[in-house]
């Protein structure tokens, strides 16, 4: 995609990876709709960026909620061509704990519902809206970029729910790209490693340094801006499709 003079949606767009992506898209001139449950943060970010950036309180697991957000984005004065999925939650628990208790089924279901089902919900509704637009260069109508994790490949002890949810995102990338080839919509996924988001921000500095030391190169935590830069590169690179890209400094996670 050669131009960012388009409408875009970013789920989880009010903080972390999503906020960095929202800012990057807005800086390139896109009309961004932030989809997030965090009303205060989302509204504040939209007000700060101004212009064509708007916020819609959205629950990615709810069909009507996402439909309303996509309708808002598609109703702007330019075609909806970009959807970047960053909404997600974490959970840590062993399949069977040291106390002999099995993993909480509700927590597993919730993690998969938000991370995997929520991603698919935005993907399918955004792609349906993109399919109604006029095709651009090479017949392209849009691109969806999803967020997985290296936990999809190297899930650690206690990450069974999170790894399953992210593995599902990896697994649906190629079939979704094949499904949407007929309407000119590309689908790619980024699998970040250890990124300095609010999730890691609460760790002591000593723990953060220990994590950084385990990364082959560069020996630092990833930055949200690294993710945003890669997401926009995927949008621009019209021949990337059906691919999952690890963004992890060559890190391969140990069992614990």
């Amino acid at each position: 995609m050669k131009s960012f003079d388009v409408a875009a949606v970013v789920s989880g767009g009010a903080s972390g990876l999503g906020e960095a992506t929202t800012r990057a898209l807005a800086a390139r001139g896109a009309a961004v709709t932030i989809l997030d449950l965090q009303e205060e943060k989302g509204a504040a970010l939209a007000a700060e960026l101004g212009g064509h950036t708007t916020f819609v309180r959205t629950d990615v697991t709810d069909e009507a909620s996402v439909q309303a957000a996509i309708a808002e984005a598609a109703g702007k004065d330019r075609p909806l061509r970009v959807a970047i999925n960053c909404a997600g939650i974490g959970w840590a628990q062993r399949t069977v704990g040291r106390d002999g208790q099995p993993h909480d089924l509700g927590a597993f279901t919730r993690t998969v519902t938000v991370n995997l089902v929520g991603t698919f919900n935005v993907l399918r509704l955004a792609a349906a809206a993109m399919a109604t637009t006029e095709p651009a260069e090479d017949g392209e109508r849009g691109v969806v970029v999803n967020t997985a994790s290296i936990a999809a490949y190297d899930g650690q002890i206690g990450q069974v729910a999170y790894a399953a949810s992210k593995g599902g995102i990896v697994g649906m990338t190629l079939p979704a790209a094949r499904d949407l080839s007929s309407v000119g919509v590309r689908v790619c996924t980024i699998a970040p490693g250890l990124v300095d988001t609010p999730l890691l921000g609460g760790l002591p500095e000593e723990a953060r340094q220990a994590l950084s030391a385990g990364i082959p190169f560069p020996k630092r935590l990833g930055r949200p801006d690294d993710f945003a830069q890669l997401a926009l590169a995927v949008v621009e690179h019209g021949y990337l499709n059906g691919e999952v890209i690890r963004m992890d400094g060559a890190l391969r996670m140990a069992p614990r």
Side-chain angles (χ1 to χ4, degrees), residues 135-212:
E137 185 177 348
D138 292 329
E140 182 175 352
R141 288 187 170 90
V143 56
V144 180
V145 181
N146 299 320
T147 304
S149 166
I150 61 170
Y153 307 99
D154 308 332
Q156 296 184 293
I157 289 171
Q159 283 192 319
V160 65
Y162 186 72
S165 70
K166 295 302 188 176
I169 293 172
V170 168
M172 76 178 178
T173 301
L174 181 58
R178 287 172 165 173
D179 283 350
L180 295 172
S181 63
S182 61
V183 293
V185 174
R186 294 185 290 117
V187 181
C188 285
T189 294
I190 298 172
L194 297 174
V195 181
D196 195 6
T197 62
L199 196 65
L200 289 182
L203 292 177
E205 185 58 30
E206 185 179 342
R208 290 158 57 84
Q209 288 180 359
L211 288 173
S212 300

Side-chain angles (χ1 to χ4, degrees), residues 191-237:
L194 297 174
V195 181
D196 195 6
T197 62
L199 196 65
L200 289 182
L203 292 177
E205 185 58 30
E206 185 179 342
R208 290 158 57 84
Q209 288 180 359
L211 288 173
S212 300
I215 300 170
F217 186 79
K219 287 191 174 298
R220 64 168 175 83
L221 297 176
R223 304 182 183 111
D225 285 346
D226 294 328
F227 176 91
Q229 181 183 10
L230 180 54
L232 266 62
V234 171
V235 171
E236 286 187 289
H237 198 302

Side-chain angles (χ1 to χ4, degrees), residues 16-250:
L17 303 180
E19 179 185 350
T21 303
T22 295
R23 291 182 181 278
L25 285 167
R28 297 291 291 272
V32 187
T33 302
I34 302 165
L35 282 57
D36 209 299
L37 280 173
Q38 303 178 87
E39 287 192 65
E40 190 173 329
K41 284 188 174 181
L45 181 58
E48 176 194 338
L49 296 176
H52 299 283
T53 303
T54 56
F55 166 71
V56 179
R57 185 183 184 280
T58 309
D59 177 354
V60 295
T61 69
D62 182 79
E63 183 172 19
S65 181
V66 175
Q67 282 178 329
I70 296 298
E72 157 93 11
K76 293 186 176 180
D77 61 353
R78 56 190 84 179
L80 176 62
R81 298 221 188 272
V82 177
I84 301 181
N85 281 303
C86 298
I89 60 173
W91 185 263
Q93 187 177 6
R94 293 176 182 239
T95 305
V96 176
R98 295 184 186 277
D99 59 359
Q101 291 299 308
H103 194 293
D104 183 274
L105 183 59
F108 186 95
T109 302
R110 175 67 177 161
T111 304
V112 172
T113 299
V114 173
N115 293 357
L116 176 56
V117 179
T119 294
F120 179 69
N121 196 23
V122 176
L123 183 156
R124 70 187 183 96
L125 294 172
M130 292 174 189
T132 67
T133 65
E134 289 298 315
E137 185 177 348
D138 292 329
E140 182 175 352
R141 288 187 170 90
V143 56
V144 180
V145 181
N146 299 320
T147 304
S149 166
I150 61 170
Y153 307 99
D154 308 332
Q156 296 184 293
I157 289 171
Q159 283 192 319
V160 65
Y162 186 72
S165 70
K166 295 302 188 176
I169 293 172
V170 168
M172 76 178 178
T173 301
L174 181 58
R178 287 172 165 173
D179 283 350
L180 295 172
S181 63
S182 61
V183 293
V185 174
R186 294 185 290 117
V187 181
C188 285
T189 294
I190 298 172
L194 297 174
V195 181
D196 195 6
T197 62
L199 196 65
L200 289 182
L203 292 177
E205 185 58 30
E206 185 179 342
R208 290 158 57 84
Q209 288 180 359
L211 288 173
S212 300
I215 300 170
F217 186 79
K219 287 191 174 298
R220 64 168 175 83
L221 297 176
R223 304 182 183 111
D225 285 346
D226 294 328
F227 176 91
Q229 181 183 10
L230 180 54
L232 266 62
V234 171
V235 171
E236 286 187 289
H237 198 302
Y239 207 64
L240 273 175
N241 195 16
E243 184 57 79
V244 181
I245 305 168
R246 290 180 67 130
M247 188 197 82
D248 57 21

